[in-house]
Amino acid sequence: MPYNSNRVQRISEEVSRELAVLLRSVKDPRVSQVMLSVVRCEVTNDMRWCRVYLSALGEHDKKELKRGLLSCSGFLRRELAQRLRLRYTCPLSDWSYKQNTVICHSG
């Protein structure tokens, strides 16, 4: 039975909403010194992959921000799993940049 696209869309919105809140609570100075906002989130139909688009404002070293996001990815995944109560929460493992926007490829 294929997933309902409305369900996937709702989960994508919920993930982006929760990540926006969670990113403010990260205590890593490489991440907390930069103002990050979630632009959008895309979840695949099987919910095994998630792509999160972040916008980074302020002065920051891109390499240090990437290291900070990688170091807090386990915390973010755990907190997402607790808040969303989904059967599977995709890992946030590969962070990359594109035109002043941070892109998180998970899976």
Side-chain angles (χ1 to χ4, degrees):
M1 181 169 142
Y3 283 103
N4 186 353
S5 64
N6 288 332
R7 180 173 187 259
V8 172
Q9 192 173 28
R10 282 194 320 263
I11 290 173
S12 296
E13 291 171 4
E14 200 60 35
V15 167
S16 64
R17 226 177 282 131
E18 290 298 328
L19 271 178
V21 172
L22 287 172
L23 282 171
R24 286 186 236 133
S25 66
V26 172
K27 294 184 180 180
D28 190 328
R30 297 171 291 192
V31 177
S32 63
Q33 292 177 352
V34 179
M35 182 177 226
L36 292 173
S37 60
V38 178
V39 176
R40 76 172 189 243
C41 179
E42 298 171 353
V43 177
T44 59
N45 287 341
D46 62 356
M47 293 182 216
R48 296 284 178 171
W49 292 86
C50 177
R51 182 171 284 169
V52 180
Y53 296 88
L54 300 173
S55 176
L57 301 173
E59 286 195 29
H60 61 280
D61 182 17
K62 291 182 179 183
K63 289 182 181 179
E64 286 300 312
L65 179 59
K66 184 176 180 177
R67 286 187 196 126
L69 289 170
L70 283 173
S71 72
C72 71
S73 62
F75 164 76
L76 293 173
R77 181 181 182 192
R78 185 186 75 230
E79 291 295 318
L80 273 177
Q82 288 176 354
R83 292 173 182 223
L84 297 181
R85 297 183 184 178
L86 295 173
R87 181 177 292 183
Y88 182 80
T89 305
C90 38
L92 304 171
S93 57
D94 181 21
W95 298 84
S96 61
Y97 296 89
K98 184 178 179 183
Q99 297 178 357
N100 298 330
T101 301
V102 183
I103 301 173
C104 163
H105 306 281
S106 64

